[in-house]
Amino acid sequence: MIARALAPLLLLVLAACATNTPAAERGFFSGIGAAASGEDERQARAVESRAQTAETRALEARAAAVQAEQRQAASASAVRDAERRLATLERSIAQMRRDLAASRAGRPEAQGAALSARIDQLDRDRAAAARQAQPDPATAQRLERQGSELNRALEAYGRL
């Protein structure tokens, strides 16, 4: 009979002891109350959820870092390729100058002067592109195209 009279009082004490504090920081009655009310389980799920969210964010950040590294490597490769192409163009321009000098004898001087001016302009454009901190691959390609067109014009001039 005493147990029946104390049971509601004991339940009231246990419910009052339920708390949001971690289990390691609770007393005996608070621990029993938290276990009986399911508070420990809710706290454990919340901690697991936060840990899962943090892990997901860390994985996303790592993936973004890997992608950034890949983009940087591709960009560096494109810059090295542009530098190589501009150096090749420099050698090609030197050859064009030699070819023009050899072809000028007995050919129209005005046309030779115009070709010389185009070669000089191409060389200035190439030098400006090469001075860039990171040469642009599209600029290198455009200058190569201009060099090819100029080479064809030189060949036509040499056949006159």
Side-chain angles (χ1 to χ4, degrees), residues 31-33 45 48 52 54 74 82 89 106 113 134 137 141 143 154:
I32 291 175
R45 281 193 302 269
E48 287 175 13
Q52 182 64 37
L89 183 60
Q134 293 186 338
Q141 186 176 18
L143 293 173
L154 282 169

Side-chain angles (χ1 to χ4, degrees), residues 79-145:
V79 167
R80 283 190 306 274
D81 183 55
E83 289 170 342
R84 180 190 53 76
R85 292 165 76 180
L86 290 171
T88 301
L89 183 60
E90 182 178 23
R91 290 187 296 276
S92 178
I93 289 170
Q95 184 62 46
M96 284 184 223
R97 284 193 170 115
R98 288 189 295 274
D99 292 347
L100 179 60
S103 299
R104 278 188 141 163
R107 306 237 168 23
E109 182 53 35
Q111 194 175 3
L115 288 171
S116 181
R118 286 177 61 191
I119 291 171
D120 291 343
Q121 183 60 51
L122 180 62
D123 195 28
R124 284 190 298 274
D125 292 346
R126 182 217 45 87
R131 281 192 302 269
Q132 298 295 316
Q134 293 186 338
D136 179 34
T139 300
Q141 186 176 18
R142 178 181 54 80
L143 293 173
E144 284 176 329
R145 236 183 355 265

